[in-house]
Amino acid sequence: MARVFNFSAGPATLPESVLAQVRDDMLDWQGSGMSVMEMSHRGPEFVSIAEQATQDLRTLLAVPDNYRILFLQGGATAQFAGVPLNLPGDRADYIVTGNWGKKAHKEAGKYLDARVAATGDDGFTSIPDQSDWDLDAASRYVHITPNETIQGVEFPNDPNLGSDVPLVADMSSNFLSRPVDVSRYGVIYAGAQKNAGPAGICMVIVRDDLLGHAAPATPMVLDWQAQLEADSMLNTPSCFAWYVCGLVFRWLLDNGGLETMAATNARKASRLYDFIDQSDFYRNPVDPAARSRMNVPFLLADDGLDKSFLSEAGEAGLSSLKGHRSVGGMRASIYNAMPEAGVEALIDFMRDFEQRNG
Ligand code: PLP
């Protein structure tokens, strides 16, 4: 059966070679006579898988020695609470640039005074300039969402706060899409199911000095220090998801690492934006300086054509292009594993659809 080009925002397409490896390992992982799903998380086989994945992630992102890496459950959403619980204080600043930042801010409000220090325009089509952020020097941390998956708005680079207040980032939807200066951040967290693997696991990268301060009522599974002491295995981890993430990290390392990925991603995104911009039939509302390289939302001039666009795209082997219900239109998610050929096939289809309906 032919595979489609899958533009889903997450869970999202994975590299074919990773899926083939999973298939090959399914009945017998490296002579163990077991699949990874069936192994004890305490056994030497799984411990070696977990350690290798952690080491490979450290290499890929050039994570400095004074940062720890955790693989936790509950997705990025659990960390919306995990952040204020592990960094308790009176108040924190949130830069809200889309739906996910809004959710993170709302959840944090249960635990501290979560301030909106800056926000995008009404439709979240831009990133507020850092000089306009109304930061409170007494805040425990500043939280950003570097890529907003729904609106398709992305920070063009790593902000430099220039203060001792830790910068915390929900990197779920652009994690591993380009090199990141980890030292600019106190905490980075990212759900796996866009660029790093299957759903069910969330990576947390945290600077040493931010560990060991959790509020007393923090559930133990959300306590970063407790999880660190247990090698992220305070309870049974998402073993299978962790293993697949490890295969994705290997795939990234074998394919040139994050510099190469960044160049490919930039090429894919500009091909698609350039096509949209030269057309009167399609439109992307985001400020060009803040356009996401991962999630490209676009609207048809006549939304009465949305249905036929989606069904004909499906017939052409282009899947999951429907935009999020809160913004409508279309969204093409073009994460690392989307080949350039997928973007070209989408552009060809869009051109043909425009010629027939424009
Ligand atoms: N943050 C961002 C930027 C997302 O795109 C998502 C989407 O799934 C989430 C958080 C929520 O992640 P999870 O479903 O892993 O909790």
Side-chain angles (χ1 to χ4, degrees):
M1 191 200 136
R3 278 175 59 77
V4 295
F5 288 122
N6 172 12
F7 295 92
S8 167
T13 195
L14 285 165
E16 268 183 38
S17 63
V18 165
L19 297 172
Q21 185 68 50
V22 171
R23 182 192 54 208
D24 289 351
D25 288 348
M26 193 52 84
L27 297 180
D28 178 11
W29 181 83
Q30 294 194 6
S32 64
M34 296 179 264
S35 77
V36 177
M37 260 181 280
E38 302 163 299
M39 287 172 183
S40 163
H41 58 296
R42 310 267 178 222
E45 295 91 351
F46 187 74
V47 168
S48 75
I49 289 171
E51 285 177 356
Q52 189 65 51
T54 309
Q55 184 50 49
D56 286 345
L57 178 55
R58 186 174 285 281
T59 305
L60 262 179
L61 260 183
V63 177
D65 288 346
N66 61 327
Y67 286 73
R68 306 294 128 217
I69 300 176
L70 305 171
F71 286 79
L72 305 181
Q73 299 189 57
T77 304
Q79 298 308 321
F80 291 169
V83 169
L85 282 165
N86 283 276
L87 302 177
D90 292 335
R91 66 187 80 97
D93 285 331
Y94 278 73
I95 312 301
V96 177
T97 50
N99 283 35
W100 291 108
K102 238 166 127 173
K103 286 193 184 192
H105 165 257
K106 185 168 177 218
E107 184 73 352
K110 294 178 182 171
Y111 305 102
L112 39 64
D113 174 16
R115 302 172 63 247
V116 177
T119 186
D121 49 295
D122 274 357
F124 293 125
T125 56
S126 62
I127 302 281
D129 197 81
Q130 201 179 323
S131 58
D132 296 328
W133 297 4
D134 173 28
L135 299 179
D136 183 334
S139 274
R140 182 66 185 93
Y141 60 87
V142 177
H143 183 282
I144 62 170
T145 311
N147 187 69
E148 282 285 356
T149 324
I150 293 173
Q151 281 82 12
V153 177
E154 184 173 14
F155 281 63
N157 39 42
D158 304 311
N160 187 354
L161 284 190
S163 76
D164 291 338
V165 180
L167 181 62
V168 177
D170 168 9
M171 260 184 217
S172 296
S173 53
N174 64 354
F175 194 56
L176 305 179
S177 68
R178 63 178 175 197
V180 162
D181 181 354
V182 175
S183 70
R184 295 249 172 114
Y185 300 87
V187 183
I188 292 170
Y189 63 98
Q193 68 274 17
K194 285 110 178 27
N195 248 344
I201 202 155
C202 178
M203 284 135 289
V204 180
I205 301 174
V206 53
R207 208 173 60 212
D208 280 341
D209 61 294
L210 302 177
L211 287 160
H213 308 293
T218 305
M220 65 179 176
V221 290
L222 283 183
D223 182 329
W224 298 335
Q225 175 66 30
Q227 285 284 12
L228 177 69
E229 286 166 13
D231 297 324
S232 305
M233 298 191 198
L234 202 91
N235 64 327
T236 317
S238 279
C239 303
F240 196 76
W242 198 337
Y243 145 76
V244 181
C245 286
L247 296 179
V248 173
F249 302 157
R250 268 276 119 216
W251 174 77
L252 287 166
L253 287 167
D254 291 345
N255 284 281
L258 301 191
E259 295 280 358
T260 303
M261 243 349 111
T264 311
N265 286 330
R267 229 171 20 240
K268 289 188 301 192
S270 62
R271 281 284 296 148
L272 189 47
Y273 285 117
D274 286 351
F275 174 74
I276 291 170
D277 286 346
Q278 58 75 45
S279 152
D280 294 329
F281 189 82
Y282 302 104
R283 181 168 69 83
N284 168 280
V286 177
D287 171 4
R291 282 173 165 178
S292 168
R293 297 152 313 119
M294 298 283 100
N295 311 99
V296 182
F298 59 92
L299 300 164
L300 274 60
D302 174 4
D303 64 8
L305 290 169
D306 283 3
K307 259 197 167 148
S308 48
F309 180 93
L310 287 167
S311 73
E312 290 180 32
E315 284 160 23
L318 307 168
S319 155
S320 310
L321 283 162
K322 194 173 186 332
H324 190 270
R325 59 190 178 281
S326 64
V327 293
M330 310 297 153
R331 171 176 51 175
S333 295
I334 50 174
Y335 301 118
N336 289 344
M338 172 58 64
E340 294 190 82
V343 174
E344 295 303 327
L346 174 60
I347 292 171
D348 287 348
F349 170 78
M350 288 169 71
R351 185 181 293 115
D352 180 56
F353 188 85
E354 175 176 351
Q355 273 163 7
R356 287 183 288 106
N357 296 280

